[in-house]
Amino acid sequence: MREYDHFVECPGCGLKLHHRHLPLLENYKASGECYEKFSELSGYTISKQDLNFIHQHVIDTYAAQHSGNGMKPITTAFSLIGLYYAIEKGFNGRQVQRVHMLLSRKKYQWKEFEAPDKSAYALTVLDVLRQKPGESRDQMIRKWMMDVWESWEHQHDRVKEICQTLLK
Ligand SMILES: [Zn+2]
């Protein structure tokens, strides 16, 4: 068996993990192996039960980084809008959740967002999991969010416009 047969590369973030022949995710451009790491991180952020609800940022970051493969445009849009408010406006997860709630009441024709190539990303969910739970892991979540948001730079103006239109 050749070396590269042992690994599967995630089509969304480019993360290489041991190939366990898990099926590709539906509605996420993600390998099953990568999605498992996301589930592991979700377990951690949910169990924190923090007032700032950092879990929301993890959901948005992962969704934006794995947009495609049947993901609805509204899902991609909500994730990018979540990152926009978190990074550019300093909203915490709880506040972002409220933005999503307000948005979900609006009628809007969501169109496809063209995602960056996976090579644009410097960080993945695994970089976050490699950090010790607590302060250092939460800081890495922040870095991961920034990296994903920066990688979507070609859509920043569009995201801002949508927010200005729908949330004025
Ligand atoms: Zn991935």
Side-chain angles (χ1 to χ4, degrees):
M1 211 182 215
R2 288 159 307 203
E3 179 64 18
Y4 53 79
D5 287 337
H6 299 281
F7 293 94
V8 57
E9 187 178 30
C10 176
C13 69
L15 176 62
K16 291 191 184 76
L17 290 165
H18 280 284
H19 208 322
R20 288 167 32 237
H21 303 278
L22 300 177
L24 275 185
L25 259 285
E26 276 173 41
N27 304 326
Y28 277 92
K29 199 167 74 180
S31 68
E33 286 80 353
C34 178
Y35 193 83
E36 268 196 353
K37 299 290 174 195
F38 168 61
S39 301
E40 193 182 330
L41 180 59
S42 289
Y44 163 76
T45 47
I46 289 170
S47 71
K48 284 172 82 77
Q49 299 196 314
D50 55 324
L51 285 176
N52 289 338
F53 199 51
I54 197 169
H55 181 59
Q56 185 63 51
H57 300 320
V58 167
I59 293 171
D60 290 342
T61 306
Y62 193 83
Q65 199 172 30
H66 297 84
S67 170
N69 190 37
M71 184 182 285
K72 291 197 183 105
I74 190 172
T75 307
T76 306
F78 273 41
S79 70
L80 292 174
I81 289 167
L83 292 178
Y84 167 65
Y85 274 93
I87 291 164
E88 311 275 343
K89 309 271 185 196
F91 278 30
N92 66 32
R94 195 65 68 193
Q95 293 167 312
V96 167
Q97 217 179 16
R98 187 165 159 70
V99 168
H100 285 163
M101 205 184 68
L102 292 172
L103 277 176
S104 65
R105 295 185 190 145
K106 309 275 179 180
K107 278 209 167 34
Y108 190 75
Q109 205 56 47
W110 299 99
K111 296 206 183 74
E112 213 68 55
F113 285 80
E114 201 196 317
D117 185 76
K118 59 182 182 297
S119 62
Y121 300 114
L123 295 171
T124 70
V125 62
L126 189 61
D127 294 297
V128 177
L129 279 173
R130 278 186 177 139
Q131 298 296 317
K132 248 190 19 231
E135 194 53 41
S136 37
R137 184 173 291 182
D138 298 354
Q139 271 174 21
M140 190 54 93
I141 289 175
R142 196 85 207 160
K143 285 187 189 155
W144 179 41
M145 285 164 68
M146 303 276 283
D147 178 51
V148 170
W149 176 241
E150 291 304 320
S151 302
W152 277 86
E153 201 190 349
H154 60 295
Q155 302 282 6
H156 283 185
D157 288 344
R158 190 171 152 207
V159 171
K160 284 175 208 172
E161 270 170 39
I162 292 172
C163 295
Q164 278 160 9
T165 310
L166 294 181
L167 297 166
K168 52 183 178 218

